[in-house]
């Protein structure tokens, strides 16, 4: 019996167990919901009871997922208000903010013109916190308070957040709640996210679904995450590897694909016996459809001998990036440090870019790419899995399907997704291109975790606009590269006048088509968050940053790997316990 099943029985939580027979899937269950109270703006109390899905509505639009669309390339291409001319310290700055009850590590979402019934029509910002709360806010009037809010804790009945040192350590700021960026279904208005909590001291994770118009449960409202896969990798028992909610960090953003919500899991700072996990749930019923684990096989010979090695590791965390999905429905994810033996016919895919296909009740590996120095980056904690995959538009590549990725080593990869090349120990000449954005590469002399100012780590995704790629490694300037004749010129055409802190800069671009491009870079410095705006045509021209008029625009403590959101003349970011909107000053 799995650890999670034992804990659930001891806690008396299982109402009914639903056995599911499918490839690579163990058991899942629908359990009573220990949290889920709501207040304010039309949200009823109670959590576990489900409401029927609302009828189909108009297509919802806005920023409904991490970096706005399934390419994850960070381009907001319909921005008609903000231009390089009017984004300056005299005309642009912080216009409003709202403080919640916990750290908002998940990227905010923005939904335009939501008809909320008696509450009227609003442009809505959604934020989720590490205190297991979700808020819907009026984007045009944050000071008015929440339109609705949901809270999934109930201390009186033993439902609390997990402390962030539960079974290891994290950098989540004291407690673990909602970390991965939620996703909104544009056809139903359902908002999906995962809550992590402790029920009488026992770790639990729940997939939630609420209606963005009311905050009420959508469909069943919640399902407890419980599953296992066949395997003899680390942590296995009786031929099964069970999902352990106390060790798996739901850090990467969620995504939607053909009626399924995709949810990836990573680890809490490489502590414990963990694996990467990807699960698909039915958007209407929340039933578990398919499960994928990239390291199910025991591996006697491994580069590292930590608790999650020899058939483990390969977390899906990606610096917060959600899975990329192409027009054919293929799913792209980067796994982090972990066991790797796929080059020898095995089933372990640590430090690998994976192309997956969801076929009914299983995920299938279509193709993959693993860097030539996988052993070195695994041993030195410089994995490719510190960032996600960004897909290039085929209009820019002459029809060739290409994906971009970066590693914690500071290396950039350009891969043809039709022929990804798998693994070549002699070098990565089987892919389209690679080069260093950082200034230090992994060598046999690299000892231990390569951390600190001497390393130029990269997280999240690079961004692309108008044949320009933008990437900022830690302790370096933002660099701009041009796409020419099917590859990028590895010599940057421009660099920003400022350098970033130890987590680099997470970038997005706002533009009106191929005009008025602005690169927005969020930096977590040692003392605060800093939002930067650079001219997209030449990033050596910094237009504005939030410290130029600190009294008005300053951010508090920064959020690691925060991706700015740009919508309708607004730039939305989080910091401390707060969300802020920047825009044109009146």
């Amino acid at each position: 019996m799995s650890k999670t099943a034992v804990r659930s029985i001891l806690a008396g939580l299982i109402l009914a167990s639903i056995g599911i027979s499918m490839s690579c899937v163990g058991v899942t269950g629908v359990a009573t919901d220990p949290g889920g109270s709501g207040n304010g703006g039309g949200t009823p109390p109670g959590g576990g009871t489900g409401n029927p899905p609302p009828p189909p509505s108009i297509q919802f639009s806005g920023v409904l997922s991490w970096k706005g669309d399934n390419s994850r390339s960070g381009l907001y291409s319909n921005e008609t208000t903000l231009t390089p001319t009017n984004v300056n310290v005299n005309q642009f700055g912080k216009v409003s903010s709202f403080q919640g009850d916990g750290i908002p590590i998940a990227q905010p979402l923005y939904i335009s013109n939501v008809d909320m019934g008696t509450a009227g029509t609003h442009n809505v910002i959604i934020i989720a916190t590490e205190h297991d709360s979700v808020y819907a806010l009026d984007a045009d009037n944050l000071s008015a308070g929440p339109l609705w809010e949901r809270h999934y804790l109930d201390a009186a009945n033993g439902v609390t957040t997990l402390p962030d040192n539960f079974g290891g350590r994290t950098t989540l700021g004291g407690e673990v709640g909602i970390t991965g960026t939620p996703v909104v279904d544009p056809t139903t208005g359902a908002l999906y996210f995962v809550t992590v909590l402790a029920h009488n001291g026992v770790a639990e994770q729940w997939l939630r679904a609420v209606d963005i118009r009311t905050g009420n449960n959508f469909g069943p409202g919640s399902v407890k995450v419980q599953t296992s896969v066949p395997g003899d990798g680390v942590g296995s028992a009786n031929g099964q590897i069970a999902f352990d909610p106390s060790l798996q960090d739901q850090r990467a953003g969620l995504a939607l694909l053909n009626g399924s919500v995709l949810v990836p899991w990573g680890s809490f700072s490489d502590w414990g016996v963990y694996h990467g996990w990807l699960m698909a749930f039915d958007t209407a019923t929340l039933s578990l459809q398919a499960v994928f684990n990239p390291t199910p096989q025991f591996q006697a010979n491994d580069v590292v001998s930590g608790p999650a090695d020899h058939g483990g590791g390969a977390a899906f965390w990606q610096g917060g990036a959600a899975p990329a999905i192409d027009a054919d429905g293929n799913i792209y994810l980067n796994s982090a440090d972990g066991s790797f033996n796929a080059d020898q016919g095995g089933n372990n895919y640590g430090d690998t870019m994976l192309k997956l296909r969801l076929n009914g009740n299983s995920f299938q590996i279509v193709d993959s790419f693993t860097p030539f120095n996988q052993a070195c980056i695994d041993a030195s904690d410089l994995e490719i899995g510190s960032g996600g995959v960004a897909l290039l538009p085929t209009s820019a590549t002459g029809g060739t399907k290409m994906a971009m990725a970066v590693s914690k080593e500071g290396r950039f990869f350009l891969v043809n997704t039709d022929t990804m090349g798998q693994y070549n120990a002699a070098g990565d000449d089987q892919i389209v291109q690679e080069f260093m954005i950082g200034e230090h590469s992994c060598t046999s002399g690299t000892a231990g975790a390569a951390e600190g100012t001497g390393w130029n780590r990269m997280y999240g995704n690079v961004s692309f606009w108008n044949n320009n790629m933008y990437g900022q490694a830690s302790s370096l300037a933002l660099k701009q590269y041009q796409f020419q004749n099917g590859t990028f010129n590895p010599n940057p055409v421009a660099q920003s006048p400022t350098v970033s802190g130890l987590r680099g800069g997470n970038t997005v671009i706002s533009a009106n088509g191929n005009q008025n491009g602005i690169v927005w870079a969020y930096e977590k410095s040692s003392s605060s968050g800093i939002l930067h705006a650079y001219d997209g045509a030449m990033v050596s021209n910094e237009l504005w940053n939030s410290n130029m008029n600190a009294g008005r625009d300053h951010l508090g403590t920064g959020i690691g790997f925060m991706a700015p959101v740009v919508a309708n003349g607004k730039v939305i970011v989080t910091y401390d316990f707060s969300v802020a909107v920047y825009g044109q000053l009146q």
Side-chain angles (χ1 to χ4, degrees):
M1 182 176 294
S2 69
K3 298 176 186 176
T4 44
V6 171
R7 288 170 176 162
S8 299
I9 292 171
L10 290 175
L13 294 177
I14 295 180
L15 216 69
S17 292
I18 302 176
I20 299 181
S21 176
M22 59 179 66
S23 174
C24 295
V25 177
V27 294
T28 186
V30 176
T32 55
D33 184 351
S37 64
N39 54 70
T43 304
T49 57
N51 301 318
S57 180
I58 61 172
Q59 189 85 357
F60 292 92
S61 62
V63 182
L64 308 185
S65 64
W66 190 84
K67 287 202 175 181
D69 65 28
N70 283 340
S71 77
R72 314 303 175 195
S73 63
L75 175 59
Y76 298 110
S77 62
N78 298 311
E79 178 52 50
T80 59
T81 300
L82 301 175
T83 71
T85 302
N86 62 30
V87 174
N88 57 65
V89 73
N90 296 317
Q91 296 175 269
F92 181 86
K94 187 191 289 186
V95 295
S96 61
S97 63
F98 169 82
Q99 182 172 313
D101 63 358
I103 298 174
I105 287 179
Q107 177 204 278
L109 302 178
Y110 178 96
I111 309 98
S112 301
N113 299 316
V114 181
D115 182 354
M116 308 184 79
T118 58
T121 299
H122 299 268
N123 296 316
V124 175
I125 292 173
I126 300 288
I127 63 167
T129 77
E130 294 298 329
H131 202 64
D132 278 318
S133 297
V134 180
Y135 299 86
L137 305 166
D138 186 337
D140 303 303
N141 186 15
L142 293 184
S143 62
L147 298 164
W148 57 258
E149 56 193 278
R150 288 294 298 265
H151 303 281
Y152 289 90
L153 303 180
D154 184 2
N157 290 299
V159 182
T160 63
T161 55
L162 280 180
D164 72 355
N165 61 355
F166 192 99
R169 64 178 179 84
T170 72
T171 56
L172 298 181
E175 60 183 359
V176 182
I178 304 168
T179 309
T181 297
V183 65
V184 173
D185 188 326
T187 62
T188 65
L191 173 74
Y192 300 93
F193 53 96
V194 171
T195 59
V196 181
L197 49 82
H199 191 196
N200 296 325
V202 178
E204 297 178 354
Q205 298 200 29
W206 293 76
L207 175 64
R208 311 285 185 172
V210 301
D211 187 335
I212 59 169
R213 290 161 288 203
T214 63
N216 294 344
N217 286 350
F218 177 90
S222 61
V223 64
K224 190 176 182 181
V225 180
Q226 302 175 114
T227 192
S228 64
V229 296
D232 61 352
V234 294
S236 65
N238 300 319
Q240 293 285 316
I241 301 172
F243 175 84
D244 187 337
S246 70
L247 292 175
Q248 303 292 161
D249 183 12
Q250 204 291 290
R251 179 67 182 91
L254 280 62
L256 295 173
L257 175 62
N258 299 332
S260 299
V261 56
L262 306 180
V263 188
W265 276 269
S267 66
F268 292 110
S269 296
D270 299 333
W271 280 67
V273 181
Y274 66 88
H275 296 259
W277 293 85
L278 178 66
M279 303 185 200
F281 297 84
D282 184 272
T283 54
T285 66
L286 301 187
S287 61
L288 181 63
Q289 298 170 310
V291 182
F292 174 73
N293 183 316
T295 50
Q297 187 176 37
F298 174 73
Q299 188 171 318
N301 298 316
D302 209 339
V303 175
V304 186
S305 295
D309 296 296
H310 299 286
F316 294 132
W317 74 284
Q318 303 196 137
I325 303 172
D326 68 17
D328 298 320
N330 297 302
I331 305 160
Y332 299 87
L333 282 166
N334 288 331
S335 65
D337 293 329
S339 299
F340 175 71
N341 64 7
D343 61 321
Q344 302 170 41
N347 298 320
N348 294 334
Y349 287 87
D351 291 295
T352 295
M353 180 190 293
L354 287 160
K355 179 180 181 180
L356 304 175
R357 188 86 182 177
L358 177 58
N359 286 327
N361 60 6
S362 67
F363 289 101
Q364 296 178 350
I365 298 175
V366 179
D367 205 347
S368 67
F369 161 69
T370 307
F372 77 98
N373 61 349
Q374 184 275 334
C376 186
I377 60 177
D378 183 19
S380 300
D381 189 28
L382 295 173
E383 76 266 16
I384 191 173
S386 67
V389 178
L391 302 177
L392 282 171
T394 53
S395 59
T397 65
T400 303
K401 299 174 183 177
M402 294 189 185
M404 304 179 292
V406 292
S407 68
K408 205 186 288 183
E409 186 190 14
R411 193 180 298 269
F412 170 81
F413 305 93
L414 182 64
V415 178
N416 184 326
T417 60
D418 283 336
T419 55
M420 295 176 66
Q422 301 180 12
Y423 176 73
N424 179 10
D428 290 336
D429 53 6
Q430 81 276 30
I431 65 173
V432 178
Q433 186 180 24
E434 71 159 44
F435 58 85
M436 293 297 298
I437 293 177
E439 297 179 353
H440 307 279
S441 57
C442 194
T443 68
S444 59
T446 304
E451 176 66 283
T453 56
W455 283 89
N456 307 127
R457 293 180 165 203
M458 298 192 74
Y459 302 88
N461 284 6
V462 293
S463 300
F464 185 83
W465 170 73
N466 210 22
N467 288 329
N468 291 283
M469 180 265 286
Y470 309 90
Q472 187 166 24
S474 60
S475 305
L476 289 179
L478 172 67
K479 297 181 181 180
Q480 175 183 349
Y481 300 88
Q482 287 190 337
F483 190 70
Q484 303 169 343
N485 301 318
T487 61
F488 288 95
N489 184 338
N491 298 309
V493 296
Q495 301 186 46
S496 65
T498 56
V499 301
S500 73
L502 280 178
R503 291 294 177 256
N506 208 344
T507 59
V508 299
I509 304 102
S510 64
N512 185 7
N514 62 1
Q515 303 293 319
N516 295 326
I518 300 174
V519 180
W520 302 91
Y522 186 101
E523 172 192 356
K524 181 183 179 181
S525 75
S526 58
S527 59
S528 67
I530 306 173
L531 178 62
H532 299 264
Y534 301 98
D535 188 336
M538 196 63 62
V539 297
S540 54
N541 177 21
E542 183 169 17
L543 306 171
W544 170 92
N545 70 59
S546 55
N547 283 350
M548 286 180 174
N549 185 339
R552 180 192 66 203
D553 299 334
H554 181 70
L555 291 169
T557 303
I559 304 294
F561 324 124
M562 171 52 56
V565 168
V566 187
N568 294 340
K570 297 177 173 61
V571 183
I572 306 160
V573 295
T574 64
Y575 63 98
D576 285 340
F577 283 27
S578 302
V579 59
V581 170
Y582 289 82
Q584 294 296 293
L585 302 172
Q586 300 299 319

